[in-house]
Amino acid sequence: MSPQQQAGQVQSMAGARAAARPPAPADSNTGVPGLWAPTLKQAGRTPPTVLDALVRLGYVGALALESAVAQAQASGITPEQVLMGNQTVSNDQLARATAEKFGLNYIDLSTFEIDFGVAALISADKARSYEALPVRQYEDGSVLVAMANPANVLALDDLKLMIKKELRPAVAAPDDLAGAFTRLTNLDEAVTEAFDDDDEPETVQLDVRESASDAPVVKLINSILVQAVTVGASDLHFEPEGKEMRVRFRVDGVLQRATTVPRKMVSGMISRLKIMADMDIAEKRVPQDGRVALRVGPVAVDLRVVTMPSVFGEKVVIRVLDKSSTQMTFDDLGMTEFAGNRFRTGFNSPYGAVLVTGPTGSGKTTSLYAAVNQLNTVERAILTIEDPVEYQLQGISQVQVNNKAGLTFAAGLRAALRADPDVIMVGEIRDAETAKIAVEAALTGHLVLSTLHTNDAPTTITRLSEMGVEPFLTATALEVVVNQRLARRVCPFCGQTVKVTADQLRASGFDADKDIDAVQAVGCSRCSNGYKGRVGLYEVLAVTDNIRSMILERASSDDIEHQAVEEGMSTLRMDGFDKIKEGVTTIEEISRVTGVT
């Protein structure tokens, strides 16, 4: 069985166990999802035995317990084994009762977030032999250890000698621990090379000849990469902080803490990351960048690695590029029918300019790739100029900008015009020269797709004028402008419907005249703070005859926006309000994304 199949089997088993768990409150009584403090001890009723705890927790009745004790005496096994054998109690109920008996916390590993940096402090073999796993480190330096048998003081003593920190034992179900051990063991095998040298000349092959002392570092990096891909992180930040290193993931556009790397592993971890990306491990004074292609389970990803010297050491940032996103279709963008038709009409024009605007990380490149994928037919010659070439597409000529060699966006665009293209995609219009050449290309029979950094669609027109493009050229060349943002979707498992009054909506900056039903982010084990995934917000400005006249008259962006709204354009706030009413996202999220509070 492959590592991926094993991991899938473990996850399926874990899911089955989770479905059979006893009912629990909506959140743990410690404030940490999956971690439960003893309740009987808090009530002053600490049970003397596990059997007593099972009764007091309501898992076993008096008659069932009496019958189990009699069967145990007759068969020579423990009453706990009898109750487990006849399925009167589950593994999780027995573990909770054990925790109550010893007055310890109980850990539900199906929902508790394991800190991979702490788990890497001991080997998987040691963890399995002791049936104990370090899962979290507290601010005071002590380590939380999940154990099947907290009475095993010899195991605790050995772990304390290995970890060299104070330990806080807690109880976990043996099946949950076994699943965690298997998952952690398979992490190393789950990260493999995605391509051969012939297929991917820029890909760096990983050096698999690690020494025994390197194994914990490799395991930790593999663990972090698997975790990042699993939660859908777009960026990983490795940030030195004094003696330790903080690791954060950007999930759905928001940074969140992932783990903390112990001091003794920091230097080895940075070196390992630099080796993976083919960087100079001896150079620590200047920024470096590199790339590595991996396969994490079934997912092929490209990693763009950047190092930055900081006060406490080198910071490493990794951009995760999921190759499956290149297959996104136009329908996957989530535009309304009216906005989608306008955008589609623009990029299906035989010539002209289509611009997608918004801040960094707003999904502009994804929208352009969706349009290019629809235009990519054998009848069209498509050429792109990008910095960097994030995704490689079949049937399209892609040019990588190289400023050191003089290959800028402007130089590449000039050369592209001599290469007989039908469609030209320019990664970004950054300067006046590139803007002028792009507009001229759109006027000479080419379809030009590009991005620009503006806050809204109408401002794009004035921005082009500020870059030196004459209004009569903009009015003639420009077909459509798409301004967009990405907002987090409410988790479908825990989102709650709430009534929002018109006064509350107006106070939040929305033009509303009646109450609505909206959704509220809650948070559960399946999501990130109540959100899971993202949805696009769009305003699509079609350059109609009226808009062209206003461009020639050098009208302000506010006047152009007013005219565009009269012609049917929805602003970002209007599109966001529609998605609030549809239950896709929240008022707070739209306010955060659109910059209105």
Side-chain angles (χ1 to χ4, degrees):
M1 183 181 294
S2 69
Q4 292 77 23
Q5 291 173 325
Q6 291 175 356
Q9 186 178 33
V10 169
Q11 292 174 354
S12 298
M13 294 169 60
R17 290 197 302 272
R21 293 182 191 279
D27 196 5
S28 64
N29 57 359
T30 63
V32 179
L35 183 63
W36 302 84
T39 56
L40 299 178
K41 180 180 179 180
Q42 295 172 352
R45 299 185 294 117
T46 302
T49 66
V50 174
L51 293 176
D52 188 36
L54 287 171
V55 174
R56 295 190 185 185
L57 290 171
Y59 296 152
V60 180
L63 293 178
L65 179 60
E66 184 178 346
S67 174
V69 171
Q71 292 182 45
Q73 292 174 345
S75 57
I77 59 177
T78 66
E80 292 87 349
Q81 290 173 322
V82 173
L83 292 171
M84 291 281 291
N86 60 24
Q87 298 182 346
T88 302
V89 298
S90 66
N91 268 318
D92 306 291
Q93 291 172 329
L94 185 60
R96 291 193 186 193
T98 302
E100 294 288 349
K101 188 262 181 186
F102 286 96
L104 299 174
N105 288 348
Y106 165 76
I107 298 181
D108 182 354
L109 292 179
S110 69
T111 58
F112 184 87
E113 183 179 345
I114 297 175
D115 189 323
F116 289 108
V118 176
L121 291 174
I122 65 173
S123 67
D125 291 337
K126 286 290 186 183
R128 187 175 283 105
S129 64
Y130 292 137
E131 287 191 289
L133 182 68
V135 292
R136 173 165 295 189
Q137 182 171 336
Y138 291 98
E139 292 182 0
D140 61 2
S142 60
V143 173
L144 181 66
V145 180
M147 304 184 68
N149 180 17
N152 189 348
V153 293
L154 294 178
L156 282 170
D157 289 342
D158 288 349
L159 289 173
K160 187 173 181 180
L161 289 174
M162 285 186 287
I163 298 176
K164 296 182 175 60
K165 296 181 183 294
E166 289 297 322
L167 303 183
R168 297 189 189 183
V171 182
D175 285 356
D176 281 352
L177 279 169
F181 297 150
T182 303
R183 182 160 59 95
L184 292 171
T185 302
N186 288 336
L187 288 175
D188 288 342
E189 302 174 12
V191 182
T192 56
E193 297 148 14
F195 307 100
D196 296 329
D197 285 334
D198 294 339
D199 296 333
E200 189 72 23
E202 296 183 31
T203 298
V204 178
Q205 297 292 321
L206 297 186
D207 183 4
V208 297
R209 297 167 295 178
E210 297 89 8
S211 64
S213 61
D214 293 332
V217 172
V218 175
K219 172 187 173 183
L220 177 56
I221 291 177
N222 287 351
S223 301
I224 291 173
L225 291 176
V226 171
Q227 185 186 10
V229 173
T230 301
V231 301
S234 60
D235 300 271
L236 290 74
H237 291 246
F238 298 83
E239 303 162 317
E241 289 186 330
K243 297 180 179 180
E244 298 178 325
M245 175 180 281
R246 178 178 63 174
V247 181
R248 293 190 293 172
F249 295 162
R250 188 177 295 280
V251 181
D252 295 335
V254 178
L255 281 172
Q256 57 183 240
R257 179 189 175 278
T259 186
T260 300
V261 178
R263 176 183 180 182
K264 65 180 181 180
M265 303 178 73
V266 171
S267 60
M269 191 169 185
I270 293 176
S271 297
R272 171 65 179 175
L273 290 171
K274 292 169 78 171
I275 289 172
M276 289 171 61
D278 195 26
M279 297 179 184
D280 183 358
I281 62 173
E283 181 57 74
K284 302 179 180 180
R285 300 166 298 175
V286 298
Q288 298 186 66
D289 60 87
R291 172 185 174 184
V292 61
L294 301 174
R295 186 174 295 278
V296 181
V299 182
V301 296
D302 266 352
L303 306 181
R304 306 280 182 177
V305 186
V306 176
T307 64
M308 294 287 293
S310 68
V311 174
F312 294 111
E314 286 185 283
K315 173 179 178 175
V316 182
V317 179
I318 299 178
R319 168 63 60 88
V320 181
L321 303 174
D322 186 352
K323 294 181 180 296
S324 64
S325 63
T326 61
Q327 304 303 317
M328 178 173 284
T329 65
F330 181 78
D331 294 334
D332 295 331
L333 295 179
M335 290 185 178
T336 63
E337 182 178 1
F338 182 81
N341 288 337
R342 283 191 159 186
F343 186 28
R344 187 181 288 106
T345 300
F347 68 71
N348 278 313
S349 300
Y351 53 83
V354 175
L355 300 182
V356 180
T357 71
T360 301
S362 59
K364 300 187 299 296
T365 302
T366 300
S367 296
L368 285 184
Y369 274 126
V372 168
N373 280 334
Q374 189 155 333
L375 293 171
N376 188 11
T377 63
V378 69
E379 294 84 10
R380 289 190 181 95
I382 302 177
L383 191 147
T384 73
I385 306 164
E386 305 172 66
D387 183 23
V389 177
E390 293 187 348
Y391 304 106
Q392 297 185 357
L393 305 176
Q394 291 186 348
I396 293 176
S397 301
Q398 296 174 272
V399 178
Q400 168 73 53
V401 167
N402 188 343
N403 291 318
K404 293 181 180 179
L407 182 55
T408 62
F409 276 115
L413 189 51
R414 282 198 206 92
L417 294 175
R418 301 191 295 270
D420 188 34
D422 297 303
V423 180
I424 304 173
M425 189 186 93
V426 183
E428 182 182 347
I429 295 178
R430 296 177 179 172
D431 51 62
E433 185 179 12
T434 305
K436 292 177 182 179
I437 299 172
V439 170
E440 291 172 359
L443 292 171
T444 56
H446 303 89
L447 177 63
V448 178
L449 310 175
S450 189
T451 69
L452 196 64
H453 288 286
T454 60
N455 291 328
D456 54 55
T459 304
T460 303
I461 296 169
T462 57
R463 174 68 175 143
L464 290 173
S465 297
E466 292 170 358
M467 297 178 78
V469 180
E470 294 294 336
F472 72 90
L473 296 176
T474 302
T476 307
L478 199 58
E479 292 292 329
V480 67
V481 179
V482 179
N483 183 48
Q484 68 179 72
R485 302 289 190 276
L486 292 176
R488 292 179 293 175
R489 290 180 179 269
V490 172
C491 173
F493 299 100
C494 64
Q496 295 181 353
T497 302
V498 294
K499 178 73 71 175
V500 183
T501 66
D503 290 339
Q504 291 174 320
L505 290 170
R506 286 192 292 268
S508 298
F510 296 99
D511 185 13
D513 55 3
K514 61 181 180 179
D515 301 349
I516 66 168
D517 288 329
V519 288
Q520 184 177 23
V522 178
C524 65
S525 61
R526 301 179 180 90
C527 65
S528 175
N529 299 319
Y531 297 95
K532 189 175 182 64
R534 289 194 285 181
V535 62
L537 308 180
Y538 303 94
E539 59 180 24
V540 182
L541 187 154
V543 183
T544 61
D545 291 340
N546 290 331
I547 299 294
R548 293 186 200 279
S549 298
M550 297 181 72
I551 294 174
L552 292 172
E553 295 170 0
R554 298 180 182 268
S556 67
S557 58
D558 290 339
D559 291 338
I560 293 175
E561 177 179 338
H562 180 74
Q563 178 63 34
V565 170
E566 284 190 352
E567 294 179 358
M569 183 188 82
S570 293
T571 64
L572 289 178
R573 293 281 289 178
M574 295 165 64
D575 192 29
F577 189 41
D578 289 339
K579 288 179 170 61
I580 291 172
K581 292 187 290 185
E582 293 168 4
V584 176
T585 188
T586 65
I587 295 174
E588 295 78 13
E589 181 65 7
I590 296 301
S591 297
R592 180 188 71 85
V593 170
T594 58
V596 179
T597 57

